[in-house]
Amino acid sequence: MKNIFLFLLSFLSIASFSQRIKDTIFSQKLNEDREITISLPESYDLNKTKKYPLLILLDGDFLLDPFQGALSYGNYWDDLPEVIIVGVNQNKNNERETDCTVDEATGLPSEKGEQFFEFIGMELIPYIQKSLRVAPFRMVAGLDTTAGFLNFYLYKDQPIFNAFISLSPDLPMGMEEQIPDRLAAIQQPLFYYHCISDGDVQKMSDRSKIMDEAIKKNKSATLNYLFEEFKGTSHYSQVLHAIPSALYQIFSVYQPISTFEFQEKIVKLPSGYVDYLINKYDILEKSFNIKMPIRLNDFKAIEAAIIKNKAYNEFEKLADLAKKNYPKSMLSNYHMAQYYEKTGDIKKAAKAYQNAFQQEEIGDLTKDMMLEKADELKGAIKNEKNKKEEVIEETPPVETPSETPTETPTEVKKTE
């Protein structure tokens, strides 16, 4: 078994560093060498502590390129996370057929199929975990024969994969009845994606539709499920449609807050806009082991929701959250200034903008902007004070009525 780190060291010495590594593993289960291709994220050698979700590709010979392309494109726009991909090569000697051997009587892996099943779970994954920085979140994908085979990992009480991508599966016997039952019984959070095309063999697609209907009837609350049928595609071309759809389904929580999410999920909330943001990133960390600062644009989305719904008291909580994520920036003081300004405490608002001016700029928040806001509010305070003084000066003094002196009656002289 070759050491992955030796490959990394040799590749680091090359100016044009490649993130793709060919490796060979001797499998005791299969009693043979097996080739794998490892695709590492671009940031792998820049961040020595970061861990990445793991994607195991059956049929890695031809599925690695489209998966890597979709992930790379999605990550460029910050829609998808970086992922370690391990492609199991199965076409050198047409291994995919024997790797997926199934007993026709039991519908379970048999002979080499059973050995290959154990190779993935008991040898390949532990090897990758030991050699590379992988997060606990694991995915598996395959096409037709291998897509059907990967479903066997759902038969375990605790599946070793968290997400399944089954592209036009050729389902072994009885699987259209068994998989819906298994998905309903599994209590851990699980992602399941499968698709067909109108270019598939009719018998294959019909069985997938039957399975889809059964899954939808008894879907577990912990199951994130999606089935798609692609029209106007062949058995092979639909793969290029399905891969990004599957990845965006699995990593939907990773994406920045979109216009749709803002309008349909956030703004309609009666309250708890900051809690929504906190929960979004908590799920990301708990489900995918991805810990990252809350995006600035997501702060802006929650700010807009607070203003739109006049829930100004939430600015205090948003300011606390900003302080945790961007402690050196002016974001926290900016939100506190908004809180004071919207609730009518202009003096404190001006002071908060002044404090923000003394901290680092972030996004479109600049020192000039903070200074202008502070001066504007100071001017408003001064104008208000002047108006009060003018009112006092222009108001005539109120005269108190003087008392009318009473005349002393003239004394009448007494006549003698």
Side-chain angles (χ1 to χ4, degrees):
M1 189 180 292
K2 296 180 182 177
N3 191 310
I4 290 179
F5 293 116
L6 293 178
F7 275 88
L8 288 173
L9 289 172
S10 63
F11 275 79
L12 281 169
S13 63
I14 302 173
S16 57
F17 176 73
S18 172
Q19 292 291 330
R20 215 175 253 204
I21 303 164
K22 292 281 188 180
D23 197 6
T24 301
I25 299 177
F26 177 76
S27 168
Q28 293 182 343
K29 297 292 183 182
L30 295 166
N31 194 32
E32 63 183 18
D33 286 334
R34 293 306 297 255
E35 291 184 358
I36 61 172
T37 304
I38 301 167
S39 174
L40 296 176
E42 289 186 12
S43 70
Y44 189 85
D45 294 293
L46 301 176
N47 189 336
K48 300 296 184 180
T49 59
K50 185 177 179 180
K51 293 184 177 181
Y52 302 84
L54 173 64
L55 171 60
I56 300 289
L57 293 179
L58 309 183
D59 285 323
D61 313 71
F62 54 80
L63 286 181
L64 183 61
D65 283 335
F67 267 97
Q68 186 181 40
L71 284 163
S72 178
Y73 180 82
N75 182 254
Y76 181 86
W77 297 108
D78 200 24
D79 277 350
L80 297 173
E82 291 184 301
V83 172
I84 291 176
I85 309 173
V86 177
V88 182
N89 303 333
Q90 295 180 270
N91 283 302
K92 186 176 181 180
N93 299 306
N94 198 30
E95 295 99 337
R96 74 193 305 262
E97 298 300 328
T98 54
D99 284 346
C100 300
T101 303
V102 176
D103 189 311
E104 293 184 1
T106 64
L108 296 173
S110 65
E111 300 175 357
K112 192 179 180 184
E114 184 176 3
Q115 296 164 2
F116 181 75
F117 179 87
E118 292 178 347
F119 160 69
I120 297 294
M122 300 173 69
E123 294 181 321
L124 178 60
I125 291 178
Y127 173 64
I128 297 299
Q129 288 176 322
K130 184 179 179 180
S131 305
L132 297 171
R133 299 192 307 275
V134 292
F137 190 82
R138 295 190 289 266
M139 301 166 282
V140 63
L143 174 67
D144 52 58
T145 300
T146 58
F149 187 84
L150 62 80
N151 286 305
F152 285 123
Y153 291 100
L154 286 167
Y155 287 13
K156 290 182 169 290
D157 291 335
Q158 297 291 329
I160 61 174
F161 294 105
N162 308 95
F164 294 75
I165 302 174
S166 180
L167 308 172
S168 289
D170 185 1
L171 299 171
M173 182 191 67
M175 194 167 272
E176 63 265 49
E177 292 89 20
Q178 293 164 353
I179 291 302
D181 290 340
R182 290 301 306 140
L183 290 174
I186 295 169
Q187 296 302 307
Q188 69 188 63
L190 201 69
F191 296 85
Y192 191 87
Y193 174 91
H194 69 130
C195 65
I196 57 174
S197 76
D198 55 7
D200 284 337
V201 175
Q202 190 67 40
K203 185 178 179 180
M204 286 172 55
S205 58
D206 286 347
R207 293 182 67 203
S208 285
K209 288 179 181 179
I210 291 171
M211 187 171 79
D212 169 58
E213 291 174 2
I215 292 172
K216 287 175 179 175
K217 285 179 182 177
N218 193 25
K219 191 166 77 73
S220 166
T222 59
L223 177 65
N224 187 315
Y225 174 75
L226 180 62
F227 170 75
E228 292 185 295
E229 181 177 5
F230 293 99
K231 302 292 186 181
T233 60
S234 70
H235 176 70
Y236 300 106
S237 67
Q238 57 96 23
V239 169
L240 299 178
H241 297 267
I243 288 174
S245 185
L247 292 172
Y248 273 80
Q249 174 216 357
I250 294 168
F251 293 113
S252 61
V253 72
Y254 178 88
Q255 299 165 45
I257 293 173
S258 64
T259 302
F260 176 83
E261 185 177 5
F262 177 80
Q263 293 177 343
E264 298 300 320
K265 294 183 179 181
I266 300 175
V267 170
K268 292 182 177 181
L269 292 171
S271 61
Y273 309 104
V274 180
D275 287 338
Y276 180 95
L277 184 61
I278 293 170
N279 292 335
K280 179 182 176 74
Y281 282 81
D282 280 349
I283 292 170
L284 189 60
E285 183 175 357
K286 291 173 182 175
S287 298
F288 305 106
N289 199 41
I290 297 174
K291 186 173 178 61
M292 58 187 291
I294 295 175
R295 298 176 181 91
L296 183 59
N297 282 343
D298 288 351
F299 270 102
K300 293 179 72 173
I302 300 304
E303 174 190 339
I306 290 172
I307 293 173
K308 188 175 181 65
N309 289 283
K310 299 181 179 179
Y312 304 131
N313 286 336
E314 293 211 21
F315 271 127
E316 283 190 285
K317 195 169 185 178
L318 192 63
D320 288 339
L321 193 61
K323 193 170 184 178
K324 292 176 184 176
N325 283 265
Y326 301 98
K328 295 181 180 180
S329 81
M330 58 179 60
L331 187 61
S332 179
N333 276 315
Y334 169 70
H335 287 315
M336 281 307 299
Q338 287 182 301
Y339 165 71
Y340 291 128
E341 185 176 359
K342 297 297 185 182
T343 55
D345 196 333
I346 304 302
K347 286 185 179 179
K348 286 186 178 180
K351 181 66 175 176
Y353 281 124
Q354 208 167 357
N355 290 339
F357 169 80
Q358 298 170 15
Q359 294 181 294
E360 293 179 3
E361 296 181 346
I362 182 170
D364 59 355
L365 303 180
T366 65
K367 289 181 178 291
D368 287 344
M369 176 184 174
M370 298 302 116
L371 194 58
E372 287 172 8
K373 293 289 290 183
D375 289 343
E376 181 183 332
L377 293 180
K378 286 178 182 178
I381 295 169
K382 187 175 181 180
N383 289 337
E384 188 66 26
K385 184 179 178 181
N386 290 339
K387 285 180 182 178
K388 288 180 180 178
E389 290 175 352
E390 288 174 4
V391 169
I392 293 171
E393 289 176 1
E394 291 175 3
T395 304
V398 178
E399 295 182 1
T400 56
S402 58
E403 294 184 1
T404 304
T406 55
E407 295 182 358
T408 304
T410 305
E411 292 182 358
V412 179
K413 292 184 178 180
K414 292 182 180 180
T415 58
E416 293 182 357

